[in-house]
Amino acid sequence: MVSLVTSDVVERKDRFDWYCEAISSDVMPVTLNTRHAADFRASLMHLDLGVAQLTSTACSPVVSRRTSAHVRRGDPERLQLALITQGTFGISQRGNDSVVAGGLVLTDTSRPSAGAFTGGQGEALVMQIPRQALALGSDRVDRLLAQGLAADVGSGAILADFLKALVARGPHCRPEELHAMGAVTLDLATAFLARQLGDPGQAPAEARAQERLQRVYRFIENNLGDPGLTPQTIADRHNMSLRRLHALFDGQHLTVAACIRQRRLERAHSDLARRELSGQPVQAIAARWGFSSATGFSRAFRDAYGITPTEHRVLSTAAPRHAEHKNPALDAHHHAPLRPKFSVGQTGPA
């Protein structure tokens, strides 16, 4: 999903208040201050990359402060890797202080911080990465917080160019394309941060196992449409035994087979609710996400969501047209959880 909002749609006297609310609700709770409230200008664009989020922001000079109280009020538990594309950005966190212009900087939403764009318009591309998605040890990553990191050489330059291309081209991509690009972006960010920490091969065994697990998750995400995607296929492609693959998933919410099934169902569930795809047969959408049997897909969908694929499509596409009637059935469906209902350790519906 792509969302873009600029302060030009807001009356001038309310623009700074709008920006404060947008940052606190869409990114994380913070307190912002500026000397330019009367003529404040800003824009925000969010790209949903699946495994991560990318936010592009531009604003008049502003000072940001996130305290322990802010963290308690709301913490997305993310690492934020920001590329400063215009202006000068000062940042303080965990005892580190840096001034960044044209480089990258890493921060943690779970810790207090202070930052400021000074000297004119500031622009940044901020990659928001769930901590558990980054296949690097937390104690090692913490060493990089609020440190200016070069974005003009090596892996930093490659990552910076890729982020800029995503912001420029991403709004024209389909959701599944953006999700695939999210996996690539996370790989680039991981490689870049690992390079800042030294030899990635020196990472502790637990971090290496986490890296392998995340690599498997990304492989699954990128191959959901292949009906031949099985645990054995995944093990073979990652040069490990099937037993080792299952061991890698010990302690995870779902087994590897259930993970494949859940992600396929979630993708089909999402596509069936898209009005622009309403002319495509249900089975065509099911086949797109690796379901070769219409009967098997319908049974799995009903077991997971409590209704048939066709019923879900009718309810989802009808909801916008009938919103004014406040139909309880439609409203309940619209707010229903999107994740299929599997139990811990379950392999998924047959």
Side-chain angles (χ1 to χ4, degrees), residues 152-186:
D152 56 353
V153 294
S155 57
I158 294 172
L159 175 60
D161 288 345
F162 193 78
L163 293 177
K164 292 174 185 176
L166 267 180
V167 168
R169 306 294 184 185
H172 308 291
C173 293
R174 297 189 302 273
E176 56 268 26
E177 291 179 307
L178 286 176
H179 284 202
M181 290 300 99
V184 175
T185 311
L186 182 58

mmCIF file of all heavy atoms in Angstrom, residues 152-186:
data_model
loop_
_atom_site.group_PDB
_atom_site.id
_atom_site.type_symbol
_atom_site.label_atom_id
_atom_site.label_comp_id
_atom_site.label_asym_id
_atom_site.label_seq_id
_atom_site.Cartn_x
_atom_site.Cartn_y
_atom_site.Cartn_z
ATOM 1 N N ASP A 152 27.953 6.955 0.447
ATOM 2 C CA ASP A 152 28.486 7.299 -0.884
ATOM 3 C C ASP A 152 29.523 6.312 -1.381
ATOM 4 O O ASP A 152 30.100 6.499 -2.462
ATOM 5 C CB ASP A 152 29.084 8.712 -0.858
ATOM 6 C CG ASP A 152 30.161 8.883 0.204
ATOM 7 O OD1 ASP A 152 30.358 7.947 1.019
ATOM 8 O OD2 ASP A 152 30.815 9.949 0.227
ATOM 9 N N VAL A 153 29.764 5.250 -0.630
ATOM 10 C CA VAL A 153 30.731 4.231 -1.068
ATOM 11 C C VAL A 153 30.211 2.842 -0.708
ATOM 12 O O VAL A 153 29.393 2.686 0.215
ATOM 13 C CB VAL A 153 32.113 4.423 -0.398
ATOM 14 C CG1 VAL A 153 32.769 5.716 -0.857
ATOM 15 C CG2 VAL A 153 32.000 4.397 1.122
ATOM 16 N N GLY A 154 30.664 1.839 -1.451
ATOM 17 C CA GLY A 154 30.378 0.448 -1.108
ATOM 18 C C GLY A 154 28.916 0.118 -0.975
ATOM 19 O O GLY A 154 28.055 0.620 -1.713
ATOM 20 N N SER A 155 28.611 -0.735 0.014
ATOM 21 C CA SER A 155 27.245 -1.204 0.216
ATOM 22 C C SER A 155 26.314 -0.071 0.645
ATOM 23 O O SER A 155 25.108 -0.124 0.388
ATOM 24 C CB SER A 155 27.214 -2.329 1.260
ATOM 25 O OG SER A 155 27.787 -1.909 2.484
ATOM 26 N N GLY A 156 26.863 0.963 1.280
ATOM 27 C CA GLY A 156 26.035 2.110 1.657
ATOM 28 C C GLY A 156 25.506 2.841 0.438
ATOM 29 O O GLY A 156 24.336 3.259 0.403
ATOM 30 N N ALA A 157 26.347 3.000 -0.590
ATOM 31 C CA ALA A 157 25.922 3.669 -1.815
ATOM 32 C C ALA A 157 24.882 2.837 -2.559
ATOM 33 O O ALA A 157 23.913 3.372 -3.107
ATOM 34 C CB ALA A 157 27.135 3.936 -2.710
ATOM 35 N N ILE A 158 25.064 1.511 -2.574
ATOM 36 C CA ILE A 158 24.096 0.630 -3.240
ATOM 37 C C ILE A 158 22.744 0.713 -2.534
ATOM 38 O O ILE A 158 21.691 0.831 -3.173
ATOM 39 C CB ILE A 158 24.621 -0.818 -3.251
ATOM 40 C CG1 ILE A 158 25.869 -0.915 -4.135
ATOM 41 C CG2 ILE A 158 23.536 -1.779 -3.747
ATOM 42 C CD1 ILE A 158 26.565 -2.259 -4.059
ATOM 43 N N LEU A 159 22.766 0.659 -1.198
ATOM 44 C CA LEU A 159 21.523 0.749 -0.436
ATOM 45 C C LEU A 159 20.846 2.098 -0.653
ATOM 46 O O LEU A 159 19.623 2.170 -0.862
ATOM 47 C CB LEU A 159 21.810 0.545 1.058
ATOM 48 C CG LEU A 159 20.632 0.726 2.012
ATOM 49 C CD1 LEU A 159 19.508 -0.257 1.697
ATOM 50 C CD2 LEU A 159 21.091 0.562 3.470
ATOM 51 N N ALA A 160 21.620 3.170 -0.624
ATOM 52 C CA ALA A 160 21.055 4.510 -0.811
ATOM 53 C C ALA A 160 20.398 4.636 -2.179
ATOM 54 O O ALA A 160 19.277 5.153 -2.300
ATOM 55 C CB ALA A 160 22.145 5.568 -0.642
ATOM 56 N N ASP A 161 21.070 4.171 -3.228
ATOM 57 C CA ASP A 161 20.494 4.247 -4.577
ATOM 58 C C ASP A 161 19.213 3.429 -4.674
ATOM 59 O O ASP A 161 18.250 3.833 -5.339
ATOM 60 C CB ASP A 161 21.510 3.752 -5.610
ATOM 61 C CG ASP A 161 22.658 4.728 -5.825
ATOM 62 O OD1 ASP A 161 22.532 5.890 -5.394
ATOM 63 O OD2 ASP A 161 23.680 4.325 -6.424
ATOM 64 N N PHE A 162 19.193 2.272 -4.012
ATOM 65 C CA PHE A 162 18.010 1.413 -4.065
ATOM 66 C C PHE A 162 16.829 2.072 -3.359
ATOM 67 O O PHE A 162 15.692 2.032 -3.856
ATOM 68 C CB PHE A 162 18.321 0.060 -3.428
ATOM 69 C CG PHE A 162 17.283 -0.988 -3.707
ATOM 70 C CD1 PHE A 162 17.244 -1.649 -4.927
ATOM 71 C CD2 PHE A 162 16.335 -1.314 -2.757
ATOM 72 C CE1 PHE A 162 16.291 -2.609 -5.190
ATOM 73 C CE2 PHE A 162 15.364 -2.273 -3.009
ATOM 74 C CZ PHE A 162 15.348 -2.922 -4.237
ATOM 75 N N LEU A 163 17.069 2.698 -2.205
ATOM 76 C CA LEU A 163 16.001 3.378 -1.484
ATOM 77 C C LEU A 163 15.431 4.532 -2.312
ATOM 78 O O LEU A 163 14.210 4.729 -2.365
ATOM 79 C CB LEU A 163 16.516 3.899 -0.144
ATOM 80 C CG LEU A 163 16.900 2.848 0.901
ATOM 81 C CD1 LEU A 163 17.455 3.520 2.162
ATOM 82 C CD2 LEU A 163 15.715 1.968 1.263
ATOM 83 N N LYS A 164 16.294 5.273 -2.974
ATOM 84 C CA LYS A 164 15.828 6.383 -3.812
ATOM 85 C C LYS A 164 14.981 5.862 -4.976
ATOM 86 O O LYS A 164 13.952 6.452 -5.328
ATOM 87 C CB LYS A 164 17.022 7.174 -4.344
ATOM 88 C CG LYS A 164 17.786 7.936 -3.268
ATOM 89 C CD LYS A 164 19.039 8.585 -3.847
ATOM 90 C CE LYS A 164 19.889 9.242 -2.783
ATOM 91 N NZ LYS A 164 21.152 9.781 -3.346
ATOM 92 N N ALA A 165 15.409 4.754 -5.573
ATOM 93 C CA ALA A 165 14.655 4.171 -6.683
ATOM 94 C C ALA A 165 13.300 3.663 -6.208
ATOM 95 O O ALA A 165 12.288 3.802 -6.917
ATOM 96 C CB ALA A 165 15.456 3.033 -7.315
ATOM 97 N N LEU A 166 13.255 3.098 -5.004
ATOM 98 C CA LEU A 166 11.982 2.613 -4.457
ATOM 99 C C LEU A 166 10.985 3.752 -4.278
ATOM 100 O O LEU A 166 9.810 3.624 -4.620
ATOM 101 C CB LEU A 166 12.218 1.928 -3.111
ATOM 102 C CG LEU A 166 12.441 0.421 -3.097
ATOM 103 C CD1 LEU A 166 12.658 -0.054 -1.668
ATOM 104 C CD2 LEU A 166 11.270 -0.322 -3.728
ATOM 105 N N VAL A 167 11.456 4.863 -3.747
ATOM 106 C CA VAL A 167 10.564 6.003 -3.528
ATOM 107 C C VAL A 167 10.084 6.578 -4.858
ATOM 108 O O VAL A 167 8.923 6.982 -4.999
ATOM 109 C CB VAL A 167 11.279 7.082 -2.686
ATOM 110 C CG1 VAL A 167 10.497 8.379 -2.685
ATOM 111 C CG2 VAL A 167 11.453 6.582 -1.257
ATOM 112 N N ALA A 168 10.970 6.590 -5.858
ATOM 113 C CA ALA A 168 10.608 7.152 -7.152
ATOM 114 C C ALA A 168 9.662 6.241 -7.925
ATOM 115 O O ALA A 168 8.719 6.702 -8.575
ATOM 116 C CB ALA A 168 11.871 7.415 -7.977
ATOM 117 N N ARG A 169 9.911 4.924 -7.874
ATOM 118 C CA ARG A 169 9.148 3.972 -8.696
ATOM 119 C C ARG A 169 8.108 3.180 -7.915
ATOM 120 O O ARG A 169 7.155 2.656 -8.499
ATOM 121 C CB ARG A 169 10.123 2.983 -9.351
ATOM 122 C CG ARG A 169 11.246 3.624 -10.142
ATOM 123 C CD ARG A 169 10.740 4.356 -11.361
ATOM 124 N NE ARG A 169 11.831 4.879 -12.164
ATOM 125 C CZ ARG A 169 11.679 5.647 -13.228
ATOM 126 N NH1 ARG A 169 10.456 5.987 -13.615
ATOM 127 N NH2 ARG A 169 12.721 6.092 -13.914
ATOM 128 N N GLY A 170 8.272 3.087 -6.608
ATOM 129 C CA GLY A 170 7.396 2.260 -5.793
ATOM 130 C C GLY A 170 5.916 2.569 -5.891
ATOM 131 O O GLY A 170 5.092 1.652 -5.926
ATOM 132 N N PRO A 171 5.528 3.864 -5.949
ATOM 133 C CA PRO A 171 4.099 4.174 -6.020
ATOM 134 C C PRO A 171 3.397 3.580 -7.243
ATOM 135 O O PRO A 171 2.173 3.499 -7.281
ATOM 136 C CB PRO A 171 4.083 5.709 -6.057
ATOM 137 C CG PRO A 171 5.323 6.104 -5.324
ATOM 138 C CD PRO A 171 6.340 5.072 -5.722
ATOM 139 N N HIS A 172 4.178 3.162 -8.260
ATOM 140 C CA HIS A 172 3.585 2.603 -9.471
ATOM 141 C C HIS A 172 3.636 1.069 -9.487
ATOM 142 O O HIS A 172 3.283 0.460 -10.491
ATOM 143 C CB HIS A 172 4.314 3.153 -10.700
ATOM 144 C CG HIS A 172 4.408 4.646 -10.730
ATOM 145 N ND1 HIS A 172 3.309 5.470 -10.911
ATOM 146 C CD2 HIS A 172 5.470 5.481 -10.552
ATOM 147 C CE1 HIS A 172 3.684 6.728 -10.875
ATOM 148 N NE2 HIS A 172 4.990 6.774 -10.647
ATOM 149 N N CYS A 173 4.076 0.468 -8.384
ATOM 150 C CA CYS A 173 4.185 -0.988 -8.304
ATOM 151 C C CYS A 173 2.957 -1.603 -7.636
ATOM 152 O O CYS A 173 2.297 -0.960 -6.815
ATOM 153 C CB CYS A 173 5.431 -1.387 -7.500
ATOM 154 S SG CYS A 173 6.997 -0.979 -8.301
ATOM 155 N N ARG A 174 2.678 -2.848 -7.977
ATOM 156 C CA ARG A 174 1.609 -3.588 -7.319
ATOM 157 C C ARG A 174 2.070 -4.005 -5.924
ATOM 158 O O ARG A 174 3.278 -4.105 -5.661
ATOM 159 C CB ARG A 174 1.232 -4.825 -8.137
ATOM 160 C CG ARG A 174 0.670 -4.502 -9.521
ATOM 161 C CD ARG A 174 0.108 -5.752 -10.191
ATOM 162 N NE ARG A 174 1.105 -6.788 -10.327
ATOM 163 C CZ ARG A 174 1.950 -6.896 -11.341
ATOM 164 N NH1 ARG A 174 1.919 -5.999 -12.319
ATOM 165 N NH2 ARG A 174 2.828 -7.871 -11.394
ATOM 166 N N PRO A 175 1.129 -4.259 -5.004
ATOM 167 C CA PRO A 175 1.512 -4.641 -3.632
ATOM 168 C C PRO A 175 2.462 -5.833 -3.575
ATOM 169 O O PRO A 175 3.420 -5.832 -2.794
ATOM 170 C CB PRO A 175 0.161 -4.970 -2.974
ATOM 171 C CG PRO A 175 -0.823 -4.123 -3.705
ATOM 172 C CD PRO A 175 -0.344 -4.098 -5.130
ATOM 173 N N GLU A 176 2.215 -6.861 -4.410
ATOM 174 C CA GLU A 176 3.096 -8.033 -4.364
ATOM 175 C C GLU A 176 4.506 -7.693 -4.851
ATOM 176 O O GLU A 176 5.494 -8.274 -4.375
ATOM 177 C CB GLU A 176 2.515 -9.186 -5.182
ATOM 178 C CG GLU A 176 2.208 -8.878 -6.645
ATOM 179 C CD GLU A 176 0.787 -8.411 -6.861
ATOM 180 O OE1 GLU A 176 0.180 -7.857 -5.915
ATOM 181 O OE2 GLU A 176 0.282 -8.602 -7.988
ATOM 182 N N GLU A 177 4.612 -6.731 -5.776
ATOM 183 C CA GLU A 177 5.936 -6.299 -6.226
ATOM 184 C C GLU A 177 6.667 -5.570 -5.104
ATOM 185 O O GLU A 177 7.871 -5.775 -4.887
ATOM 186 C CB GLU A 177 5.804 -5.386 -7.441
ATOM 187 C CG GLU A 177 5.328 -6.066 -8.703
ATOM 188 C CD GLU A 177 5.183 -5.097 -9.868
ATOM 189 O OE1 GLU A 177 4.494 -4.069 -9.708
ATOM 190 O OE2 GLU A 177 5.764 -5.374 -10.930
ATOM 191 N N LEU A 178 5.943 -4.712 -4.394
ATOM 192 C CA LEU A 178 6.551 -3.987 -3.275
ATOM 193 C C LEU A 178 7.018 -4.944 -2.184
ATOM 194 O O LEU A 178 8.081 -4.756 -1.584
ATOM 195 C CB LEU A 178 5.561 -2.975 -2.694
ATOM 196 C CG LEU A 178 5.308 -1.716 -3.530
ATOM 197 C CD1 LEU A 178 4.243 -0.856 -2.871
ATOM 198 C CD2 LEU A 178 6.596 -0.926 -3.713
ATOM 199 N N HIS A 179 6.217 -5.979 -1.905
ATOM 200 C CA HIS A 179 6.611 -6.946 -0.880
ATOM 201 C C HIS A 179 7.879 -7.682 -1.289
ATOM 202 O O HIS A 179 8.745 -7.955 -0.457
ATOM 203 C CB HIS A 179 5.472 -7.933 -0.627
ATOM 204 C CG HIS A 179 4.367 -7.345 0.186
ATOM 205 N ND1 HIS A 179 3.472 -8.094 0.909
ATOM 206 C CD2 HIS A 179 4.003 -6.053 0.413
ATOM 207 C CE1 HIS A 179 2.615 -7.310 1.536
ATOM 208 N NE2 HIS A 179 2.922 -6.058 1.245
ATOM 209 N N ALA A 180 7.985 -8.029 -2.572
ATOM 210 C CA ALA A 180 9.206 -8.679 -3.053
ATOM 211 C C ALA A 180 10.398 -7.731 -2.917
ATOM 212 O O ALA A 180 11.500 -8.148 -2.532
ATOM 213 C CB ALA A 180 9.036 -9.127 -4.499
ATOM 214 N N MET A 181 10.186 -6.443 -3.239
ATOM 215 C CA MET A 181 11.259 -5.463 -3.090
ATOM 216 C C MET A 181 11.623 -5.262 -1.620
ATOM 217 O O MET A 181 12.768 -4.951 -1.298
ATOM 218 C CB MET A 181 10.826 -4.130 -3.701
ATOM 219 C CG MET A 181 10.720 -4.123 -5.225
ATOM 220 S SD MET A 181 12.275 -4.518 -6.072
ATOM 221 C CE MET A 181 12.008 -6.267 -6.437
ATOM 222 N N GLY A 182 10.650 -5.465 -0.725
ATOM 223 C CA GLY A 182 10.934 -5.349 0.705
ATOM 224 C C GLY A 182 11.968 -6.366 1.151
ATOM 225 O O GLY A 182 12.865 -6.064 1.954
ATOM 226 N N ALA A 183 11.858 -7.594 0.637
ATOM 227 C CA ALA A 183 12.825 -8.627 0.988
ATOM 228 C C ALA A 183 14.217 -8.248 0.498
ATOM 229 O O ALA A 183 15.218 -8.441 1.202
ATOM 230 C CB ALA A 183 12.389 -9.973 0.394
ATOM 231 N N VAL A 184 14.292 -7.695 -0.713
ATOM 232 C CA VAL A 184 15.583 -7.256 -1.257
ATOM 233 C C VAL A 184 16.151 -6.114 -0.420
ATOM 234 O O VAL A 184 17.346 -6.096 -0.091
ATOM 235 C CB VAL A 184 15.424 -6.810 -2.727
ATOM 236 C CG1 VAL A 184 16.733 -6.248 -3.268
ATOM 237 C CG2 VAL A 184 14.947 -7.978 -3.587
ATOM 238 N N THR A 185 15.288 -5.168 -0.064
ATOM 239 C CA THR A 185 15.727 -4.015 0.734
ATOM 240 C C THR A 185 16.276 -4.462 2.077
ATOM 241 O O THR A 185 17.305 -3.952 2.547
ATOM 242 C CB THR A 185 14.557 -3.033 0.953
ATOM 243 O OG1 THR A 185 13.911 -2.773 -0.273
ATOM 244 C CG2 THR A 185 15.059 -1.725 1.543
ATOM 245 N N LEU A 186 15.583 -5.419 2.713
ATOM 246 C CA LEU A 186 16.054 -5.912 4.001
ATOM 247 C C LEU A 186 17.399 -6.611 3.871
ATOM 248 O O LEU A 186 18.284 -6.447 4.722
ATOM 249 C CB LEU A 186 15.019 -6.872 4.605
ATOM 250 C CG LEU A 186 15.351 -7.426 5.990
ATOM 251 C CD1 LEU A 186 15.547 -6.291 6.996
ATOM 252 C CD2 LEU A 186 14.248 -8.360 6.463
#
